[in-house]
């Protein structure tokens, strides 16, 4: 993620993953892992040169973009190779954003929805963002059992949040992303903070869609672990909880079987 539902698409199968945890804070039965993307890529524009996960990591979530739709994590192939070499199961995540005028012009007129009104054009634009993420997966030969949709503020391409109509427009874009992943028979869920989800979507209720919830910057993971049993930002079941510090993003699984055996 920048620091960064399990809705099953047709024919998709639910399967899970699993980190060095600060202090002695491992919960019984939980797997501990990390998410990595362009911040761990030394060649990426805007990359922070952050370290890859430690040897104790039990799973990885790999970012597909360089923080915006229609961009690529330039180290994805290398990070996937690292993940496979360490025998770790993995999910993926992609970062959508509200389409620019040029993107809406290019992508809004074609897709699953008839482009006869703004909401349909926004959905088509979101669908195009999902298709780009799918092409990225195909290019590196990665078939994750789950793709998380990372919903957060991106200053370079912001979500409009001034009023309810703008939040409904944001939902339309995300609806298109969902449709794109579902059309590819991929399971999906949403990553967000509670405040970010409320601002961007107007607290969109999706009780059947899985959640990857973040507690933000923490010194200890107890608060993140509490997210596993607290109501989520969208009402969906929390499968993974996250927290981070200046060096790494940390993740823990909230339920069994979130990750499969090491991914292909």
């Amino acid at each position: 993620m920048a620091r960064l539902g399990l809705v099953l698409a047709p024919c998709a199968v639910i399967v899970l993953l699993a980190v060095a945890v600060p202090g002695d804070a491992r919960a019984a039965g939980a797997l501990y892992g990390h998410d990595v993307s362009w911040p761990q890529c030394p060649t990426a524009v805007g990359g922070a040169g952050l370290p890859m996960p430690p040897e104790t990591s039990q799973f990885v979530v790999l970012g597909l973009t360089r923080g915006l739709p229609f961009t690529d994590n330039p180290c994805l192939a290398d990070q996937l190779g690292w993940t496979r070499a360490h025998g770790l199961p993995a999910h993926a995540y992609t970062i959508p954003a509200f389409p620019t005028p040029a993107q809406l012009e290019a992508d809004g007129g074609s897709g699953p929805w008839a482009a006869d009104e703004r909401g349909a054009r926004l959905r088509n634009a979101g669908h195009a963002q999902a298709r780009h993420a799918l092409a990225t997966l195909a290019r590196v030969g990665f078939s994750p059992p789950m793709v998380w949709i990372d919903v957060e503020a991106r200053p370079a391409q912001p979500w409009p949040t001034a009023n309810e109509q703008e939040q409904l427009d944001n939902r339309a874009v995300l609806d298109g992303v969902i449709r794109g992943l579902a059309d590819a028979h991929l399971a999906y869920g949403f990553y967000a903070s509670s405040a970010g989800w409320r601002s961007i979507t107007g607290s969109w209720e999706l009780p059947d869609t899985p959640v990857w919830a973040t507690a933000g910057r923490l010194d200890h993971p107890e608060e993140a672990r509490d997210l596993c049993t607290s109501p989520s930002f969208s009402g969906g079941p929390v499968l993974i909880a996250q927290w981070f510090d200046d060096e790494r993003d940390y993740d823990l699984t909230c339920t069994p079987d979130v990750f499969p055996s090491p991914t292909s």
Side-chain angles (χ1 to χ4, degrees):
M1 357 255 44
R3 268 299 309 173
L4 249 158
L6 182 66
V7 165
L8 284 183
C11 305
V13 180
I14 300 179
V15 280
L16 298 184
L17 307 181
V19 63
V21 179
D24 183 17
R26 290 181 179 271
L31 298 178
Y32 290 82
H34 298 80
D35 50 277
V36 299
S37 188
W38 86 97
Q40 288 74 31
C41 182
T43 63
V45 175
L50 298 177
M52 289 294 286
E55 294 299 317
T56 50
S57 189
Q58 295 174 284
F59 67 86
V60 177
V61 187
L62 296 173
L64 305 181
T65 74
R66 198 176 67 252
L68 292 173
F70 305 112
T71 65
D72 296 312
N73 168 10
C75 286
L76 177 59
D78 290 341
Q79 291 169 355
L80 179 60
W82 182 96
T83 300
R84 288 170 171 166
H86 286 76
L88 299 180
H91 287 182
Y93 76 89
T94 187
I95 302 181
F98 195 81
T100 65
Q103 290 168 355
L104 189 57
E105 176 67 24
D107 301 315
S110 61
W113 288 271
D116 52 4
E117 50 91 18
R118 178 172 171 80
R121 294 178 62 81
L122 289 170
R123 287 177 173 84
N124 284 337
H127 194 267
Q129 294 182 17
R131 291 199 307 272
H132 183 93
L134 293 169
T136 300
L137 290 172
R139 187 165 54 252
V140 298
F142 184 22
S143 300
M146 182 80 163
V147 176
W148 295 95
I149 304 167
D150 179 348
V151 180
E152 59 180 293
R154 303 298 299 144
Q157 191 170 329
W159 295 97
T161 59
N163 54 55
E164 183 180 0
Q165 183 56 57
E166 290 186 339
Q167 293 169 332
L168 291 174
D169 286 350
N170 294 339
R171 293 188 194 185
V173 176
L174 294 173
D175 196 32
V177 177
I178 289 171
R179 174 71 178 271
L181 297 177
D183 285 350
H185 307 296
L186 280 172
Y188 58 84
F190 280 106
Y191 167 95
S193 68
S194 294
W197 185 257
R198 181 170 57 253
S199 174
I200 292 167
T201 74
S203 300
W204 195 11
E205 288 289 327
L206 296 168
D208 297 323
T209 303
V211 163
W212 175 12
T214 182
R217 184 179 298 277
L218 297 175
D219 293 325
H220 301 286
E222 286 80 3
E223 185 177 344
R225 198 161 53 235
D226 289 344
L227 294 176
C228 292
T229 53
S230 301
S232 72
F233 52 76
S234 63
V238 181
L239 300 191
I240 304 175
Q242 182 210 58
W243 72 103
F244 56 78
D245 57 26
D246 289 335
E247 187 173 69
R248 289 190 170 100
D249 292 353
Y250 304 89
D251 300 287
L252 63 89
T253 59
C254 296
T255 64
D257 304 324
V258 172
F259 288 90
S261 302
T263 186
S264 60

